[in-house]
Amino acid sequence: MLDRALVNEAWMTMFPKGYSEILSRLHSDHCPILVCCHGSPRVKGSRPFRFQAAWATHPSYKHVISKAWNQKFGGVTERLKMVQQASLDFNSKIFENIFVQKSKLEYQIDEIQRRLKAIDVLSLIIKEVELMKDYNRLLFQEELFGYQKSREQWVKYWDRNTKFFHLQTLVRRHHNRVHGLYVRDGSWSTDLDILQEEALSFYKNLFGTTKEVEVDYLGDVPIPTLSTEACAWLIDPVSFAEVKLAVFSMSPFKAPGPYGFQAYFFK
């Protein structure tokens, strides 16, 4: 039985939300395959904050973090929220869109190179060198942006794998996207409002019910206990060296924490 639809990279780039669906057999012994190009509409709601590693390549971002972190007295949670807002402001007012900046630089470099073909001026040569330096920085930011979104771990950045990272991001989104669910009555639904209600109801039933636990359920089974030395070690103050060792042993681009910061940010 045919149960797959085969597409190439160009098709995935053109239809990033496309997906295939196997329909029921009716007048044939084969299941028809329906290919939807545009997918389901985006669920309404605000997008969660996600730290962009490309921000760290900008020379002023470290100052933005320092200013936000020291702006308000409080714990780590309050300070991370301040860094969140400062990062969003930095992204919209200073960092701007990488791809728009790239197009502008390509146009400026092309104009200077055209002028250099007609006249050899030192100021134009210096300007071209400066623009090429900015352009290479943008290429690295673009690659780092794609690498972070792709979640690909076995390929390293610095090799200009932007196209590969973009394709891996599309593939990951295809696997993670929920196009429909079997609802409580057993029917298949793709309606966004119904899907949201079903998901909310499922987790309410999963985590909202409480059951009494019988403490002596295991009877007289001996329970292992910690030694005095182990208990003392557990309540010892945590040193800076221990925290640093734990953070730097983490993979930099794994799933972000509850506030949208990956280990790369803390490193």
Side-chain angles (χ1 to χ4, degrees), residues 4-5 11 18-24 31-37:
R4 293 290 186 273
W11 192 92
Y19 67 99
S20 62
E21 185 177 347
I22 301 175
L23 305 180
S24 301
C31 291
I33 299 177
L34 174 66
V35 177
C36 301
C37 298

Side-chain angles (χ1 to χ4, degrees), residues 212-219 223:
E212 294 184 1
V213 178
E214 189 175 341
V215 179
D216 297 328
Y217 181 77
L218 296 177
I223 299 176

